[in-house]
Amino acid sequence: MNPPTPVAPPVAVISSIAAVRELVRDARASGHGIVLVPTMGALHAGHLSLVRRARELGETVIVSIFVNPLQFGAGEDLDRYPRTLDADVAALAEFDDVTVFAPSVDEMYPSGSTQTRVVAGRVGALYEGAARPGHFDGMLTVVAKLLGITRPDVAVFGRKDAQQAFLVQQMVTDLDIATTIEVVDTVRELDGLALSSRNRFLSDAERLAATTLSEALRTAENTAFEGVAEVLAEGAGAFGDHDAVKLDYLVVVDPATFLPVDDDFRGTATVLVAALVGETRLIDNTTITLN
Ligand code: PAF
């Protein structure tokens, strides 16, 4: 007789803060490291790479799935943001010992919102923050709540949202939160497009045009030896006068401060790009060395 095929235990989904606190207490009592992967769901291979890294970093992995109203402005895509909990849970079935924390809006914001907000500061008002006022305050507020609920040793974020990762790191440093922030590289389609939950909004024509962002970044990488001014000019030039893709910004920032670099900057820098592809806002980034 053949031995029975092992069946992976189903992924546990919990929706109450009290239940997560209990899970965290039990994990701590067993001496387990706790790792949080905060997400808004609509999981793709990029998210799964964060969970894979989380698995390496601790025994108890909590994937939060919560579309946070606080980080969406009026007229943004809160209502149409994909909510695919069943598919997300199925996608996580490949991992052992992963718990999904999927609270309702009422569970996270019982009085409708919060009186207390985390303020993202100077960098929070730039780039994505300039296009989406209040976005980073709302993002940091929910991340602070998630860190408070799960008290993880490590929290894992994707590099595609480089400004978000910078601001989360700044928050845990400024507020002495005892969590290490781990940043995992962007996962890309074969043609270079960075994976994003918003890619599913793209029409076929927009999907083709969306590669302009990663092409602009490749151009920036290839012109880095010519200096900042050339990177900016050539990178933005990659957008040409594309009808379907409207460049919002392409900037070169110092990864230590996230402020734009001067023309004579030398060293490692981050190139950030954002564009509207049809109605869909996409962002991407890369690292260059300016000598
Ligand atoms: O990157 C995201 O999905 C969100 O901004 C986050 C970090 C889960 C907070 O809502």
Side-chain angles (χ1 to χ4, degrees):
M1 200 167 108
N2 291 333
T5 316
V7 179
V11 175
V13 181
I14 52 187
S15 55
S16 84
I17 292 172
V20 184
R21 290 201 194 281
E22 202 177 309
L23 172 87
V24 168
R25 247 193 326 267
D26 292 349
R28 287 264 175 249
S30 314
H32 286 181
I34 296 167
V35 187
L36 173 68
V37 183
T39 82
M40 297 204 299
L43 302 185
H44 50 64
H47 293 111
L48 300 185
S49 76
L50 306 185
V51 180
R52 207 160 291 121
R53 180 70 185 125
R55 268 265 100 294
E56 293 166 0
L57 293 169
E59 292 84 355
T60 296
V61 173
I62 301 172
V63 178
S64 64
I65 297 183
F66 179 62
V67 181
N68 172 35
L70 240 55
Q71 67 189 76
F72 288 80
E76 288 190 8
D77 55 359
L78 173 62
D79 290 340
R80 77 167 184 151
Y81 200 87
R83 287 152 172 93
T84 58
L85 184 60
D86 290 348
D88 293 344
V89 171
L92 293 168
E94 68 172 271
F95 300 101
D96 290 337
D97 214 351
V98 167
T99 300
V100 169
F101 173 45
S104 64
V105 173
D106 278 353
E107 181 72 4
M108 290 296 275
Y109 301 118
S111 38
S113 184
T114 54
Q115 290 298 314
T116 307
R117 298 277 170 108
V118 179
V119 177
R122 182 177 180 193
V123 170
L126 302 175
Y127 327 123
E128 283 311 282
R132 307 181 63 191
H135 165 67
F136 285 123
D137 294 358
M139 180 280 293
L140 288 179
T141 302
V142 83
V143 171
K145 281 172 72 71
L146 291 166
L147 296 177
I149 293 165
T150 60
R151 294 186 294 110
D153 300 292
V154 185
V156 184
F157 292 82
R159 196 177 305 285
K160 181 179 72 66
D161 297 294
Q163 188 177 7
Q164 167 170 282
F166 175 88
L167 290 169
V168 170
Q169 179 60 65
Q170 177 177 268
M171 175 178 76
V172 301
T173 304
D174 284 350
L175 302 186
D176 297 307
I177 296 173
T179 296
T180 300
I181 303 304
E182 172 84 4
V183 182
V184 171
D185 282 345
T186 304
V187 178
R188 296 179 180 282
E189 302 280 6
L190 285 178
D191 63 4
L193 179 68
L195 296 195
S196 162
S197 301
R198 290 192 167 92
N199 290 352
R200 67 183 70 198
F201 297 144
L202 302 172
S203 68
D204 290 350
E206 289 166 353
R207 168 65 188 80
L208 284 176
T211 56
T212 311
L213 281 88
S214 53
E215 281 157 21
L217 294 175
R218 295 298 82 74
T219 304
E221 288 163 6
N222 294 335
T223 44
F225 72 98
E226 295 182 74
V228 176
E230 206 62 27
V231 167
L232 293 173
E234 295 290 321
F239 284 82
D241 40 354
H242 233 298
D243 280 346
V245 189
K246 297 263 168 299
L247 174 64
D248 181 359
Y249 58 78
L250 185 139
V251 281
V252 182
V253 304
D254 180 343
T257 60
F258 238 73
L259 297 174
V261 298
D262 293 330
D263 272 359
D264 58 356
F265 181 86
R266 298 280 173 269
T268 301
T270 306
V271 185
L272 307 173
V273 67
L276 267 185
V277 185
E279 305 268 285
T280 305
R281 186 176 181 81
L282 297 181
I283 59 174
D284 201 351
N285 64 83
T286 192
T287 301
I288 59 172
T289 304
L290 295 153
N291 293 310

